[in-house]
Amino acid sequence: MTPTAVGLGVGSALSWGVSDFGGGLASRRTAPLATVVVSQVVGVSVGLAVIAVLGERFPGLEATGWAMVGGIATFISLVCFYGSLASGAMGLAAAVTGVVGAGIPVVAGALTGDRLRPTDAAGIALALVAVVLVSRPANDIGIGRRSLALALIAGVGAGVFFIVMGRSLSAGGETWWPVATCRATALVLAVVTTVVLRRTRATARGASPLMGVIGLADLAGTALFVMAGAQGVLSIAAVVSSQYPAVTAVLARVILKEHLAPSHLAGIVLALIAIALIALP
């Protein structure tokens, strides 16, 4: 990857780390679905405003279709991820989701003909060990089965998002149209689900400035990832962007004074090493 692409990927990780920490915090005060609805309203509104200012051209139906699939994956990933963050230790849940999300694009590439390098194989092996460590109860501190399951599903959704947004880029999508389309799709699904589950009141009570920050940071992270993918190898952009668990874990430790057992710290470190190995040129 070029230095610019790496910088964009790191910026994406920082933005997503802030967004995920805020999402977990907000979801402890209200339902995860409510957090998704309000934050996506902010993301879609700002995304459309940027399109209007920049005059970015409509990319066509194929690119838009892939971005919509990305929106479906985003909706599933965010609801599960915020649920995991709300019910378990934030640093551990973020590590599991980050590792799974980073590994899927690499594995998908290997299955479709990309050669799996020794560093990729080592990274995937460390990632599996990391998942075991962060899910292991220690001193009454653990991620829990429910939180672990949600984090794993969120990771799969993130991995699918990375892949299909790459397809949108290949089909002619630029930056902001795919991003706005993705977020708009996630918003529609969140609103429909909210109405079906009759949680509109919870959504109204959950609206807060914090959710606005979540929406803006999430939008920035997505846009920076798309830009990084456009300048480099998509799978590498995905694993660099997937280092956001470190940001979430640090914020949880500093702000929430979240205590982590030694095995959990080791798991988080291994997860970050795994991502770094996969990202090596």
Side-chain angles (χ1 to χ4, degrees), residues 152-257:
L152 288 170
I153 295 171
V156 173
V160 172
F161 163 80
F162 288 140
I163 293 171
V164 297
M165 290 303 283
R167 294 291 185 88
S168 181
L169 281 173
S170 300
E174 295 184 32
T175 300
W176 292 100
W177 266 113
V179 169
T181 300
C182 173
R183 291 298 174 238
T185 303
L187 174 60
V188 170
L189 290 173
V191 170
V192 170
T193 304
T194 298
V195 172
V196 170
L197 296 179
R198 298 180 181 178
R199 291 184 178 177
T200 51
R201 291 183 180 179
T203 300
R205 289 197 303 269
S208 69
L210 175 60
M211 292 188 182
V213 173
I214 296 167
L216 289 174
D218 184 35
L219 179 73
T222 303
L224 289 169
F225 161 71
V226 171
M227 293 176 188
Q231 294 198 27
V233 179
L234 183 78
S235 60
I236 304 303
V239 292
V240 174
S241 299
S242 292
Q243 296 191 59
Y244 62 84
V247 180
T248 303
V250 169
L251 289 174
R253 180 69 183 89
V254 172
I255 297 177
L256 299 181
K257 309 301 180 183

Side-chain angles (χ1 to χ4, degrees), residues 78-101:
L78 285 179
V79 172
C80 291
F81 189 48
Y82 289 163
S84 180
L85 291 175
S87 61
M90 284 192 185
L92 308 184
V96 173
T97 299
V99 166
V100 175

Side-chain angles (χ1 to χ4, degrees), residues 22 38 70 186 245 258 266:
V38 180
E258 197 173 82

